[in-house]
Amino acid sequence: MRALLFSDKLAFSEMMASLLRDGFDIDILAFPDHAADLTGYGAKEIKGMEKEDYAADSLADFIAGMSKDYDYIFIGATVLGREAATMLSALTGNVMKSEITKIEISGGKARTSRLYYGGKTVLEEESDAKIFTVSQGLVEPSRTAASSKTTKVVNQKTSKITVGEKIEKPSTSVDITKASVIVSIGRGIGKKEGIEKIKELATLLHGELAGSRPICSDYHWLEVERQVGLSGKTVSPKIYMAIGISGQIQHVAGMRNSKTVIAINNDKTAPIFQECDYGIVGDLYSVVPLLINAIKQTGQS
Amino acid sequence: MPYNIIVCVKQIADEVRIDPSTNEPVISNPQYRMEDLSKNAVEEAVRIKEKYGGKITALMFCSDSSTPVMKEALAMGADEGIIITGYKENSPDFSAAVLAEKIKSLQYDIVIAGYASADSYTAQIPARLSKLLGVPLLGSAIKVDISGKKIDILREADDLDIKESADMPAVISVTQETNQPRLPLLANIIASARKPLKVEATAVQYKETSKIISDKAQQSSRKRIIYEDINKGVQEITKVLKQEVAV
């Protein structure tokens, strides 16, 4: 079974290749800057585009032209990827499944899983789908010994929209998906100044600071790159500390694969206590300083 | 200049309960609410109308003919409502076909929809509408500027913000950052009852493209050791941290 993979994000292509190379003969379609980096991830061929294309419609037209050579098309679930995949489905008439977390082909049917009801359930489906968007962070990208053939493909850009200036977000270039310890805060923190104490804990644990959607997207107390959850990043650290996070399902969906989850919350009934390994019921402003002291002491012993 | 705006509104179950005996969602007789980004879509439509004038048609595809969600859209500022019945869950291609069929019969300059819905999160509707209507998609817009027939947006695309533009008619999809949806005033809620509302069943044929094998809540296998004694908790958790991290 031949599959073509595409993402506008390099790390996403690496992840998808690592996930899919055992089940499919994969080729990767890549933006010009990404092609060289992708050769060691198990693809037969890297098709480096002559120019990058951030317009979903022309990108979909281009992929549609190549799709007859492939049984399946996998596209990383980014903003551009979701739109391009959907347009590809509309253009080719092939069935599409969104945001898949698992796939198995059996008897010509695709058996896929994805989160549903805002992450509350997992929907397992069987379909004739040929096009998929793939959720991010499903596996750790890994290289293979074999290298790939690299070719150049010429893409035409005829779009109904005009793509102008691209502005890199003011980023701390933090990548919480790579952190082995994450100290994450939620609405329970109450005030922006409270973050300082949590930062001290994170530093002590050599961890990264993260937050729930209200903290990152609504209050902007932390950069949006630090948002964990369905609308943010999916993380799988060794330790995930949820401090003042109630544990809404949208948040849990982003940290479910963490090895050990520790929760601190003053509400005994908070759903996070169902999703943690260790929990303390108490005011975070009392618990966190005690914890910092205790860690410092054991550090010295 | 005034614009004809169509805003697509979705309703979703207010809360999906999990039946502990089957681990499956309970979806009979749900309470519905307006989907999160549909609120941003209605808000953006109303803001454009307030600035330039025009008419807003709220379009819903759902299973029931009378819904408080449409009333809310009208109370927020939509001028008229169209409800199409015959909704099938988990079928974004069908939903888009039904919506596009109706939109084609209306006069429009701008179609606004949420980027993705909070329940199913396929994010397919805006891109499908764009293709079915044959008009440009300005997707994931966090800022919308209009001048004459031209639309400029700032698009949020993961770690990039991108300036994009297109001519009307066009589809715009919006996110939570686009605006802050208003709460309808009581007077507007009352007045919305007099706004025109049409209900019709869809004539588009539904074609099943997938079969659901299971839909269950994820089982958590966490230890769930909870300390209500703070000092004891700090002591034990410090041990765990010490084991896992070199501190």
Side-chain angles (χ1 to χ4, degrees), chain B residues 147-218:
Chain B
S147 90
K149 283 281 175 192
K150 186 165 178 262
I151 307 171
D152 285 282
I153 66 152
L154 188 63
R155 165 182 174 85
E156 182 180 52
D158 306 288
D159 52 356
L160 285 175
D161 285 347
I162 307 176
K163 288 182 180 172
E164 291 185 353
S165 61
D167 287 332
M168 294 180 195
V171 175
I172 302 174
S173 78
V174 296
T175 78
Q176 56 168 342
E177 271 134 281
T178 314
N179 54 42
Q180 187 66 48
R182 70 194 63 194
L183 293 171
L185 300 169
L186 184 62
N188 294 346
I189 296 171
I190 295 163
S192 71
R194 290 192 301 272
K195 289 183 176 175
L197 177 61
K198 268 189 276 187
V199 180
E200 52 198 70
T202 185
V204 178
Q205 203 60 40
Y206 172 70
K207 216 171 64 208
E208 194 176 64
T209 56
S210 62
K211 202 172 78 198
I212 291 175
I213 296 167
S214 72
D215 183 16
K216 286 178 189 289
Q218 298 198 68

Side-chain angles (χ1 to χ4, degrees), chain A residues 99-103 111-115 122-125:
Chain A
E99 310 282 320
I100 61 163
T101 55
K102 262 188 207 161
I103 181 160
R111 191 180 267 240
T112 53
S113 297
R114 67 188 184 94
L115 297 180
V122 177
L123 191 65
E124 206 186 333
E125 300 169 89

Side-chain angles (χ1 to χ4, degrees), chain A residues 54-103:
Chain A
Y54 281 95
D57 58 350
S58 49
L59 184 61
D61 288 344
F62 178 62
I63 300 175
M66 314 173 80
S67 66
K68 62 178 190 316
D69 297 334
Y70 296 94
D71 302 303
Y72 301 97
I73 312 270
F74 294 92
I75 296 181
T78 62
V79 167
L80 179 66
R82 292 183 188 107
E83 289 175 355
T86 305
M87 289 180 174
L88 181 65
S89 166
L91 280 168
T92 59
N94 284 327
V95 176
M96 165 183 175
K97 286 291 156 193
S98 291
E99 310 282 320
I100 61 163
T101 55
K102 262 188 207 161
I103 181 160

Side-chain angles (χ1 to χ4, degrees), chain A residues 189-237:
Chain A
I189 189 103
K191 53 181 192 274
K192 193 180 178 188
E193 305 77 64
I195 295 174
E196 284 311 308
K197 204 72 198 167
I198 311 294
K199 207 181 261 174
E200 193 184 332
L201 178 63
T203 308
L204 202 58
L205 296 171
H206 312 295
E208 285 289 357
L209 209 53
S212 62
R213 174 167 152 169
I215 296 297
C216 302
S217 281
D218 296 341
Y219 309 155
H220 298 285
W221 288 353
L222 288 177
E223 302 93 328
V224 77
E225 288 85 356
R226 295 182 189 270
Q227 182 173 326
V228 172
L230 209 58
S231 52
K233 298 276 166 61
T234 303
V235 297
S236 48

Side-chain angles (χ1 to χ4, degrees), chain B residues 39 43 46-47 50 72 75-77 180-184 188:
Chain B
K39 288 189 185 177
E43 177 64 34
V46 175
R47 286 185 189 196
E50 283 172 347
E72 187 181 349
M76 282 177 78
Q180 187 66 48
R182 70 194 63 194
L183 293 171
N188 294 346

